[in-house]
Amino acid sequence: MWKSTREAVEMKAMNIYGIREGVRDVRDVKKEKNVKNVKKGWWGLIVWLLMLTFLAGPAVGQNKLQQSAGGYHGELDFPWSWKRYYSYAEWTQMMKEIAKKYPDLASVESIGKSQMGRDQLLITITNKKTGDHSAKTAMWVDGAIHGNEVNGINCSLYLMWYLLTRYDYDPYVFNMVNDRTFYILPGLNVDANASYVEYPNTENNPREPYRPEDDDNDGLYDEDRTEDVDGDGELSMMYAVDPKGDLKLSPDKRQFISIGDEKDYPGLRYRRIGTEGFDNDGDGQINEDDIGGPDPNRNYAYGWNLRDGNPYPMSEPCTRNAYNAMLARPNIFVSFHYHNTGRLIMFTAPQPMPQQSAQQSQRSQQEREFGQRGTVQERLAEMRKINKYAQLFDRQVASEFQHDLDVQTSIVTAGARILKDYTPTFSGLSGQAQATSYNMLGNYAYLIELWGNPTYEADLNGDNKVSDEEYMKWIDIELTGDGWINPHPFKHPDLGEIWIGGSGKKHVGRTPPSRYIETEADRNAHFVMYCVNQFPKVQVADISTTPEGDDLYWVDVTVRNESTYPTASDRSKKLERIKKDKLVISTSDKIQVISLNEKLPFNDPAQGFRNAHNPGLGKETELWLKGNDSQTFRYLIKKSGGKGWIEAEIISERGGKDKKRLTIKD
Amino acid sequence: MKKLMICVFCISFIVGFVAHAQKVPINFDKYHGFTGSESFLKAVSNAYPDITDLRVIGKSTMDRPVYVLIISNKKTGTPLDRFVQLRNPRQEPVDNVPPMTNDQAKPGHWICGSTHGNEFTGTEVCLYTINKLVTGYGSDTEITDLIDRNSFYICPIVNPDGVYNSVEKDLSQRGNSLMKDDDHDGKINEDGPDDLDGDGRITSFRYKDPKGQYIQDEVDPRIMISLGEKDKTDKQRWSVIREDKDNDGDGKRGEDSEQGFDLNRNFPEVWFDDNGYQGGTGDYPTSATEVQALAEFFSTHHNIMMAQFYHTSGGFTYRPMGVSSDVTMHPKDIAVYDLIMGKKYVEMMGDDMPKAWMYPDSIGDYKKDLEAKSGNKFAAARGYEMPRTWVVHYNEKENKRYGFGLQSDWAYQEMGIYSITTELFNYRMDLPGNTFTGDDAYTLFQHAALKYQQAKANGAWFQDWKPFKHPELGDGEIGGWYPQYQSNAFPGEILEKICETHWLYEKYRASLLPHAVVTEAKGKVVEKAGSYRIIEVTAKVENTGKLATNLTRGAELPGNRPDVVWLIGDRDNVSFIQGLAWQKAGVLDGTMSIPGFPKGKTSNEVKWLVKVRGNTPLKVVVSSMKGGTNAKDVEIN
């Protein structure tokens, strides 16, 4: 008990230290202190001193640190229910209000207007006092590019709310909001989002932005939309009684099911007509030209094609505004794009190697790495004996993109753990936001397919699937009967006597019912935060000297990035969007750095006559730090006179800065 | 009372006189630039409200409007949405579909200029074309017919900022303007070219420089001759730069100007290179507001079937493609382009016509001939090499693309439009009484051009060199052609001749447009009862225009629907027994024969069996995306 409290306080002290010093890694400080092995009794005093310094100083502080995992973490500071869906007016109002409550941490702005003139609100979250949002490495999150996939809005809003309400209580959030920037666009396709929540719709519609489109090629645009024919507030299915129909009512009279092999089924038979609606244009068809233009997630530029993404790339105000907003924020490093459904962590992987080169080796890169230890599948099975979330992908990429694939593999492995029963997989390329984010901007990009069949709750026979019967049981038990529209007869003005019903209500299929919203949003917020926590953070890990004799010294400088993400993705290097990391050496007056030859091996007995380190060639070295990378540079210095110092500073566009100074005595 | 009568008479006489004269006078003795074009467009749209409509389709970076003048009789062409009665609408009030306008119910013809800001000869041709159309309406039957049956969409300036800078500021600017920090120094557009001598124009600065790449012309030392990199000379070498100095003290001149990027590389067709990296310009295809304005206008005006994107210079026309070869085009579209449109253009330009165009029946022989002789496999496949004045961008000899993201390629491939790009003005041939050939053609032209501008403009187009001490480069001279006269057709007779030729050429192309018409609509009563009749309706729809109602490429495109025929009647009194309310008529071929291709059907017959109560009238409407909408009442016997 005492120990854990002590550690929490220690953590906090170190956080403060980290912030005040700018870029030092918390873990490193911890190690240093441990090495010093200070007696326990002294700790309290040190912490107190640090806290006093902090309280006296101008730096930002965490006022209400919550040390107990079971304690209050600020969730009622901005009370909000995560057990329902909200209208556009409600959730945009909430964004404005929460930004007003946390003015030092959040700003809301409109990045543009949708087709129908709705503002697309973006919230920027970072501690404004520790630096401008644009100066920090950033996470982009957008939700609900598909109008009906509004659980993406809730997940985005939840992340926003979690970061802001917990900031004062939770050191993890506190650090993250101080050091990094979050750009969150909860609803991307706001017109269709608004309609989905506020009007009768099926779980699948409306999906696209509202560009008029002539789906049925009759010369008119969006002229035959869906209608809630029976006025019950839900958009269900219509069925006609038909002696040749292939459907019958289920025994419990709640569903229309197949007559199956009973070709001579004697009872009442039905035929499915389609979604509820009228024949608006009198052409004998119903709902054949519903509202909606191109698929917005085929409307991005990368891999765009005319058939799916028409009429032209970035043609829709909502997608164009979102992408322009990303372009205007070049500090974005990772992007998340929420969709439903299917519980997938889709990520943009580097393109596979061209056929020609791939044929040279039948086995994938990763297979070769594992040598003779079997195929990817066998190896994965082996790995999963230790970690059931382990991931491995059968894709051979060009060697210059291998690190991106490795990094993504590592991140989605953690994602699978955090999100539970989500499956990591590659995402598509054709005009999709995440593909464009990776391939054109160089960001690590993820498409999350939220929710899906509640297999873990509904599957009774353990076949990992949900049958119709199991699904109905889930409706009855977990949803306590709510969520189903029973078949009922109705007199339709165009069709005469028909039946309507036999389908789930709107928030039962692709968007989770209320009681499941929060769990899903919470896990997803944690995955986003995990990724931010893995943003690169460079450090000068070590600087040490070895006398060479006379007044010459070898100086070894080790720079390190312990995060999973490198300081630049392989793709962004190709796109030349990020400057290389820089290692800068400076010295006191009487110390001189001697130029070394890049090509010759070190003649260094201690290292055994081998080319042990990168030769430190001059005062400035350019390098890339990968994820979990450590590189040592060896300099030769000449010291004339007495005491002096040498300082190494690592400067990274995405990974921050760090420096260390070493004093060399006589 | 008598006085008043006289007054009224006088006024009506004056009004009548003015009406017959040119309501909005225009001449081509000088360039109109952005300001002049804008005021002309506004004046024309005010003076001819029945046949014109001025639209702003987008804004440039500097907030200048991109205008399109629609020229079409507003009383003709009823769009389909006026005929079809909708009922039981969805309760959710989403008003995302604007009512169709009359112009959209007629075949569209797009003409634009100045995608490149410094290539504004096309702007003048657009203004000339507008003038010809609006003044010819009502007096010239051919023009009247074109405006009654078609819609012209004329966008004189695609790149307003580029034109404004090139003409009004005499600062040649090809690309658009962008608020962009080109040199990454934290400041935006802080170091563009400078008007060093304060005359309001950006000409050239020349100075003696042993490493210079220019020498003075022997005949006329005002002319600077560019040397090849390896050329040797004993003469004084010069360097020639734009009037410019280092404004921000970073040691560089003109490194962060207002100039953005080339708009004619920002279109979606093959914008990416083969490895999935940026090939064209801008952050993404259509990223430029000006390009998006065009893309959006085309996407909401699917009736456009002809497009001309004027550029300068060269005196020839590009037909697609440039980003890819002929292989990506349908052979029939190529035949329409080359053997119909190209043939006319080559004729008008007085160029040598390929034999295969004159004798298309023997095209097989020409193909064999070329297979044996020509290294150009595309020419062999066609049966002809492209003539000088009708060419493709694509480098057929080396089988290499010309570039990425070209507007004309996009219009053909993604919109299904007969698009072309004419490079107006040919310095070798367009100076009256002169033809310049050979290696020094340009120098010879310069000699003649300097004399020409002396005679015609009293020397106002060229600034004679005068000494100037440059703050960084020291002594030298400022002078040279004022940029607006450097590469565009000279104002006056030369410009007018080009305008006339190209207006006539586009008028010819307009005459090729398809026209879907209901030529017959008859009803036969097959059953009669007290309250209703069962009627068999037969309609014949026909394309009376010269070209088919879709390009072959167009017919393959999503969003380029086939022609449809609707039977319209009051929904409470008409029910369909057989045949849906609308039926597909497919693509109707035109009246013109396309050499090498069999003639398709120009008409189609559609039938319905309907139950009609009372004397409810019936109407047949044909709606062709590119061939117009046309209606006819059903005659019931």
Side-chain angles (χ1 to χ4, degrees):
Chain A
M1 177 69 179
W2 179 86
K3 195 183 168 195
S4 68
T5 310
R6 199 213 70 182
E7 268 178 6
V9 176
E10 181 187 324
M11 270 289 285
K12 185 198 159 188
M14 280 180 269
N15 289 331
I16 295 159
Y17 182 66
I19 290 151
R20 287 173 64 85
E21 291 297 307
V23 285
R24 296 194 64 177
D25 190 292
V26 170
R27 285 159 294 192
D28 222 43
V29 182
K30 192 171 178 177
K31 270 182 234 153
E32 278 174 29
K33 307 246 169 185
N34 286 344
V35 169
K36 281 181 188 167
N37 201 11
V38 184
K39 275 181 189 167
K40 277 179 186 172
W42 283 98
W43 260 109
L45 189 57
I46 289 170
V47 166
W48 264 110
L49 283 171
L50 279 167
M51 278 182 80
L52 280 174
T53 339
F54 149 67
L55 285 170
V60 201
Q62 199 168 12
N63 301 316
K64 305 161 186 166
L65 178 67
Q66 175 53 263
Q67 297 173 8
S68 161
Y72 176 70
H73 284 93
E75 49 275 13
L76 292 178
D77 288 10
F78 188 91
W80 191 254
S81 164
W82 297 107
K83 296 242 179 313
R84 55 163 295 205
Y85 293 94
Y86 292 94
S87 71
Y88 169 79
E90 286 168 332
W91 65 257
T92 50
Q93 185 60 29
M94 179 229 189
M95 286 176 77
K96 289 174 192 163
E97 278 169 18
I98 204 167
K100 217 182 278 172
K101 176 154 175 82
Y102 299 96
D104 294 340
L105 305 178
S107 303
V108 170
E109 70 196 288
S110 170
I111 57 162
K113 287 194 189 292
S114 68
Q115 175 102 3
M116 303 310 295
R118 286 186 180 86
D119 278 312
Q120 290 175 271
L121 291 194
L122 176 82
I123 189 162
T124 301
I125 296 178
T126 191
N127 183 348
K128 296 173 190 174
K129 291 186 177 158
T130 55
D132 191 64
H133 68 92
S134 64
K136 298 169 187 166
T137 307
M139 166 65 80
W140 169 276
V141 177
D142 64 48
I145 187 172
H146 288 135
N148 56 324
E149 301 174 358
V150 296
N151 35 346
I153 299 181
N154 274 356
C155 286
S156 308
L157 292 174
Y158 184 90
L159 171 67
M160 162 190 90
W161 174 85
Y162 190 93
L163 292 169
L164 294 175
T165 54
R166 284 180 81 101
Y167 176 81
D168 272 338
Y169 303 85
D170 178 346
Y172 182 74
V173 172
F174 180 75
N175 273 347
M176 203 171 267
V177 173
N178 285 337
D179 298 348
R180 309 299 188 187
T181 299
F182 291 82
Y183 299 114
I184 305 173
L185 183 73
L188 193 151
N189 185 358
V190 282
D191 294 333
N193 295 155
S195 168
Y196 183 76
V197 173
E198 292 159 50
Y199 288 90
N201 283 299
T202 71
E203 61 181 9
N204 299 316
N205 279 87
R207 182 176 169 82
E208 297 108 2
Y210 285 179
R211 173 182 291 274
E213 204 171 59
D214 180 8
D215 300 334
D216 59 339
N217 285 335
D218 67 348
L220 300 171
Y221 293 77
D222 294 354
E223 83 287 355
D224 206 333
R225 307 180 185 184
T226 55
E227 287 88 17
D228 175 16
V229 170
D230 58 2
D232 65 351
E234 292 281 344
L235 205 62
S236 188
M237 287 291 151
M238 305 193 294
Y239 295 85
V241 174
D242 181 349
K244 289 181 182 163
D246 54 358
L247 299 170
K248 61 179 181 184
L249 268 180
S250 61
D252 65 1
K253 299 205 178 346
R254 292 203 291 176
Q255 295 182 76
F256 294 94
I257 56 172
S258 170
I259 56 168
D261 295 334
E262 279 186 275
K263 296 281 178 246
D264 303 320
Y265 178 72
L268 208 49
R269 287 162 73 156
Y270 299 85
R271 170 173 51 84
R272 185 178 148 128
I273 301 169
T275 308
E276 264 184 87
F278 300 110
D279 178 9
N280 304 103
D281 59 351
D283 69 349
Q285 299 169 76
I286 290 173
N287 306 340
E288 81 284 0
D289 197 349
D290 200 0
I291 197 164
D295 185 327
N297 206 35
R298 301 292 181 277
N299 194 238
Y300 279 70
Y302 191 80
W304 177 87
N305 74 75
L306 183 62
R307 192 159 293 279
D308 300 323
N310 72 82
Y312 56 91
M314 301 273 81
S315 60
E316 304 315 297
C318 64
T319 51
R320 179 173 285 251
N321 292 337
Y323 190 64
N324 282 346
M326 291 182 82
L327 276 169
R329 290 161 181 78
N331 52 320
I332 295 170
F333 187 72
V334 174
S335 68
F336 267 74
H337 310 270
Y338 285 126
H339 288 246
N340 72 35
T341 176
R343 298 182 204 279
L344 299 171
I345 302 169
M346 303 185 86
F347 62 99
T348 309
Q351 298 261 41
M353 229 151 79
Q355 207 69 38
Q356 212 180 352
S357 352
Q359 274 170 355
Q360 291 169 0
S361 159
Q362 290 297 312
R363 291 174 306 150
S364 78
Q365 180 80 21
Q366 282 178 327
E367 279 179 65
R368 272 187 282 126
E369 257 175 44
F370 299 117
Q372 302 303 310
R373 288 193 282 165
T375 65
V376 166
Q377 286 313 316
E378 284 162 5
R379 173 68 187 147
L380 189 55
E382 199 60 34
M383 286 162 71
R384 288 202 171 153
K385 284 179 187 165
I386 302 159
N387 174 2
K388 66 175 175 173
Y389 300 110
Q391 304 293 331
L392 205 54
F393 298 95
D394 190 7
R395 170 168 291 196
Q396 190 174 355
V397 301
S399 59
E400 68 260 39
F401 293 114
Q402 186 59 44
H403 191 56
D404 275 358
L405 185 59
D406 295 345
V407 165
Q408 293 291 50
T409 305
S410 164
I411 292 285
V412 301
T413 301
R417 176 198 176 110
I418 294 165
L419 296 178
K420 312 296 174 206
D421 65 13
Y422 270 61
T423 309
T425 177
F426 296 138
S427 82
L429 293 173
S430 53
Q432 303 191 21
Q434 76 286 355
T436 305
S437 179
Y438 174 69
N439 285 297
M440 292 179 76
L441 302 176
N443 301 328
Y444 290 108
Y446 308 88
L447 183 164
I448 305 295
E449 293 282 11
L450 299 163
W451 191 235
N453 255 341
T455 318
Y456 62 98
E457 300 226 309
D459 179 23
L460 292 172
N461 59 7
D463 66 351
N464 242 353
K465 285 181 208 145
V466 181
S467 68
D468 281 359
E469 279 163 47
E470 286 169 336
Y471 192 76
M472 293 310 286
K473 273 264 183 294
W474 174 70
I475 297 242
D476 287 344
I477 296 171
E478 273 81 4
L479 298 189
T480 59
D482 189 17
W484 194 256
I485 305 158
N486 288 327
H488 51 280
F490 189 83
K491 190 170 172 13
H492 190 289
D494 301 317
L495 302 166
E497 288 294 345
I498 59 159
W499 284 67
I500 295 177
S503 72
K505 288 183 182 170
K506 188 164 61 184
H507 292 297
V508 173
R510 300 180 59 147
T511 45
S514 300
R515 59 174 290 212
Y516 294 95
I517 296 173
E518 184 162 5
T519 313
E520 172 130 275
D522 188 65
R523 285 178 182 167
N524 274 284
H526 275 271
F527 183 33
V528 172
M529 289 187 292
Y530 175 85
C531 291
V532 174
N533 202 36
Q534 292 305 325
F535 278 6
K537 201 165 200 176
V538 297
Q539 42 173 319
V540 177
D542 189 49
I543 175 165
S544 62
T545 55
T546 317
E548 156 65 29
D550 300 322
D551 52 357
L552 292 173
Y553 294 84
W554 291 110
V555 178
D556 288 324
V557 177
T558 301
V559 289
R560 189 177 291 161
N561 169 33
E562 288 180 342
S563 308
T564 305
Y565 288 118
T567 54
S569 71
D570 292 334
R571 185 71 187 187
S572 65
K573 291 177 198 169
K574 283 276 180 191
L575 294 164
E576 293 172 10
R577 283 183 67 89
I578 297 184
K579 285 192 210 106
K580 278 190 149 186
D581 305 330
K582 247 186 343 195
L583 174 60
V584 183
I585 300 296
S586 49
T587 57
S588 57
D589 282 353
K590 287 177 179 168
I591 290 179
Q592 180 198 346
V593 178
I594 295 177
S595 291
L596 298 175
N597 187 315
E598 189 179 4
K599 289 178 183 146
L600 293 175
F602 283 109
N603 201 3
D604 176 4
Q607 297 290 342
F609 295 101
R610 60 195 163 84
N611 198 357
H613 297 304
N614 302 312
L617 297 174
K619 295 205 161 183
E620 210 173 287
T621 309
E622 287 192 326
L623 67 145
W624 290 117
L625 274 169
K626 292 185 169 189
N628 292 312
D629 191 11
S630 173
Q631 296 178 30
T632 302
F633 292 83
R634 165 154 283 204
Y635 297 85
L636 186 62
I637 59 163
K638 180 175 157 54
K639 186 166 78 80
S640 41
K643 198 174 154 187
W645 53 262
I646 177 160
E647 188 176 89
E649 183 175 23
I650 176 92
I651 302 162
S652 165
E653 210 179 329
R654 293 283 177 271
K657 291 180 196 174
D658 188 37
K659 60 181 169 192
K660 260 205 176 76
R661 180 181 282 201
L662 181 79
T663 307
I664 305 170
K665 291 173 190 157
D666 285 320
Chain B
M1 189 64 191
K2 202 176 178 184
K3 270 184 185 170
L4 187 68
M5 286 288 284
I6 290 168
C7 259
V8 170
F9 177 77
C10 284
I11 290 165
S12 55
F13 178 79
I14 292 163
V15 169
F17 177 79
V18 171
H20 280 284
Q22 206 177 14
K23 284 190 202 167
V24 186
I26 184 167
N27 67 58
F28 295 87
D29 294 340
K30 60 173 180 50
Y31 302 127
H32 290 84
F34 175 76
T35 319
S37 303
E38 182 180 49
S39 54
F40 178 71
L41 290 173
K42 285 181 174 168
V44 165
S45 67
N46 285 330
Y48 300 93
D50 296 338
I51 54 166
T52 65
D53 198 358
L54 185 60
R55 300 264 179 88
V56 174
I57 65 163
K59 289 271 179 85
S60 69
T61 302
M62 299 303 175
D63 215 31
R64 294 186 182 98
V66 178
Y67 290 106
V68 168
L69 186 75
I70 304 179
I71 304 179
S72 187
N73 183 353
K74 287 180 184 169
K75 294 200 180 74
T76 58
T78 311
L80 182 62
D81 62 353
R82 308 287 163 80
F83 294 105
V84 182
Q85 197 186 345
L86 302 179
R87 60 185 191 190
N88 292 324
R90 187 176 157 96
Q91 282 176 335
E92 180 184 9
V94 179
D95 192 13
N96 70 319
V97 186
M100 296 178 193
T101 50
N102 286 46
D103 59 283
Q104 290 172 306
K106 287 172 271 186
H109 190 151
W110 170 273
I111 303 171
C112 71
S114 297
T115 300
H116 291 146
N118 58 349
E119 301 180 0
F120 43 81
T121 303
T123 297
E124 301 297 331
V125 179
C126 286
L127 301 182
Y128 187 94
T129 304
I130 290 168
N131 184 51
K132 281 288 175 186
L133 284 169
V134 296
T135 56
Y137 188 77
S139 55
D140 178 316
T141 49
E142 198 188 342
I143 293 172
T144 307
D145 190 50
L146 287 178
I147 294 176
D148 283 342
R149 283 154 53 101
N150 301 327
S151 300
F152 290 91
Y153 300 105
I154 304 182
C155 173
I157 300 175
V158 172
N159 176 3
D161 298 339
V163 169
Y164 184 87
N165 288 347
S166 296
V167 181
E168 274 87 332
K169 287 164 75 175
D170 230 330
L171 187 175
S172 181
Q173 183 179 316
R174 177 184 170 92
N176 61 347
S177 290
L178 276 187
M179 299 302 286
K180 189 166 173 254
D181 177 13
D182 299 330
D183 57 343
H184 306 290
D185 65 350
K187 284 172 274 180
I188 289 170
N189 300 352
E190 82 289 351
D191 198 353
D194 302 283
D195 179 15
L196 296 173
D197 59 353
D199 67 348
R201 298 161 135 181
I202 307 288
T203 51
S204 302
F205 176 74
R206 69 178 184 186
Y207 60 101
K208 289 173 183 164
D209 177 0
K211 288 178 184 164
Q213 287 299 306
Y214 290 85
I215 52 168
Q216 283 180 317
D217 179 46
E218 280 176 0
V219 180
D220 188 335
R222 289 180 296 175
I223 298 167
M224 302 307 291
I225 311 247
S226 169
L227 294 173
E229 244 174 62
K230 287 174 186 165
D231 286 351
K232 286 186 178 159
T233 184
D234 303 329
K235 294 180 190 142
Q236 173 65 51
R237 282 175 172 267
W238 296 72
S239 276
V240 184
I241 60 161
R242 196 138 80 146
E243 261 187 81
D244 197 3
K245 62 182 169 58
D246 178 11
N247 303 62
D248 57 351
D250 66 350
K252 292 175 195 147
R253 278 183 295 274
E255 82 287 354
D256 193 352
S257 75
E258 189 181 307
Q259 164 129 250
F261 56 78
D262 185 339
L263 297 179
N264 196 22
R265 302 290 183 278
N266 188 234
F267 284 80
E269 179 66 15
V270 190
W271 185 87
F272 289 90
D273 72 12
D274 298 335
N275 299 315
Y277 293 93
Q278 174 173 4
T281 55
D283 287 323
Y284 54 88
T286 77
S287 66
T289 54
E290 299 88 348
V291 172
Q292 197 210 354
L294 259 62
E296 186 62 27
F297 191 82
F298 277 70
S299 304
T300 48
H301 291 79
H302 282 293
N303 55 320
I304 296 176
M305 196 190 214
M306 291 283 172
Q308 165 67 276
F309 302 92
Y310 286 126
H311 283 249
T312 61
S313 62
F316 57 84
T317 293
Y318 286 117
R319 62 100 163 137
M321 297 287 293
V323 300
S324 57
S325 73
D326 269 7
V327 173
T328 59
M329 296 176 73
H330 195 281
K332 189 176 176 187
D333 293 340
I334 292 179
V336 173
Y337 265 120
D338 292 350
L339 277 69
I340 308 292
M341 296 179 192
K343 194 174 173 198
K344 179 76 176 181
Y345 191 74
V346 167
E347 241 170 56
M348 287 175 72
M349 298 299 283
D351 190 12
D352 293 334
M353 177 96 53
K355 284 246 164 48
W357 294 12
M358 293 190 277
Y359 314 106
D361 291 345
S362 318
I363 207 154
D365 299 336
Y366 298 120
K367 283 183 188 175
K368 275 183 207 150
D369 205 32
L370 281 169
E371 269 166 38
K373 280 199 307 213
S374 169
N376 178 347
K377 64 176 179 180
F378 303 101
R382 283 189 301 257
Y384 48 89
E385 296 272 7
M386 303 299 272
R388 191 197 72 80
T389 53
W390 187 265
V391 297
V392 289
H393 269 110
Y394 192 77
N395 184 341
E396 297 191 326
K397 294 227 164 63
E398 293 172 32
N399 201 2
K400 247 169 66 179
R401 67 166 58 99
Y402 175 83
F404 299 91
L406 300 168
Q407 56 194 172
S408 174
D409 291 357
W410 166 78
Y412 169 75
Q413 287 289 4
E414 301 189 18
M415 293 282 144
I417 291 169
Y418 290 114
S419 58
I420 54 173
T421 291
T422 296
E423 294 281 359
L424 301 159
F425 181 55
N426 179 359
Y427 76 82
R428 291 169 185 266
M429 295 170 86
D430 288 347
L431 209 57
N434 290 288
T435 306
F436 307 106
T437 52
D439 288 347
D440 55 352
Y442 190 65
T443 309
L444 296 174
F445 161 72
Q446 293 272 308
H447 294 156
L450 279 173
K451 280 180 199 147
Y452 183 83
Q453 66 100 27
Q454 197 59 50
K456 293 282 171 181
N458 204 18
W461 300 342
F462 187 93
Q463 181 186 329
D464 283 336
W465 299 93
K466 56 181 192 226
F468 183 83
K469 193 171 167 64
H470 191 282
E472 296 133 31
L473 297 164
D475 285 327
E477 293 169 315
I478 286 178
W481 287 101
Y482 291 117
Q484 58 181 304
Y485 302 102
Q486 209 156 30
S487 57
N488 283 279
F490 290 127
E493 53 179 346
I494 297 174
L495 178 58
E496 271 171 41
K497 190 178 167 217
I498 287 172
C499 286
E500 176 68 11
T501 307
H502 289 88
W503 136 249
L504 288 176
Y505 182 60
E506 288 309 310
K507 189 172 83 163
Y508 164 75
R509 291 217 307 152
S511 75
L512 300 177
L513 286 166
H515 291 283
V517 179
V518 183
T519 48
E520 233 179 78
K522 286 189 175 133
K524 197 173 83 185
V525 180
V526 292
E527 185 68 48
K528 215 172 186 171
S531 61
Y532 66 85
R533 291 173 295 166
I534 292 178
I535 298 172
E536 186 192 67
V537 178
T538 307
K540 192 177 163 198
V541 293
E542 197 172 336
N543 177 8
T544 60
K546 290 189 172 140
L547 293 175
T549 53
N550 238 330
L551 279 74
T552 314
R553 169 67 185 162
E556 301 167 354
L557 288 174
N560 259 17
R561 64 175 169 85
D563 305 340
V564 294
V565 190
W566 282 77
L567 179 63
I568 309 283
D570 176 30
R571 285 182 65 185
D572 290 331
N573 290 310
V574 177
S575 50
F576 288 82
I577 293 171
Q578 283 186 299
L580 294 178
W582 62 272
Q583 299 184 44
K584 287 178 188 167
V587 176
L588 299 172
D589 205 354
T591 58
M592 190 178 230
S593 304
I594 310 302
F597 292 87
K599 193 108 195 52
K601 272 170 69 176
T602 57
S603 68
N604 212 333
E605 200 180 74
V606 188
K607 279 184 190 293
W608 294 266
L609 205 60
V610 286
K611 188 176 88 180
V612 177
R613 290 187 189 282
N615 284 324
T616 301
L618 296 170
K619 204 186 268 287
V620 171
V621 181
V622 62
S623 171
S624 167
M625 193 170 247
K626 298 202 189 289
T629 301
N630 182 264
K632 196 177 175 65
D633 292 329
V634 179
E635 266 179 59
I636 301 169
N637 297 314

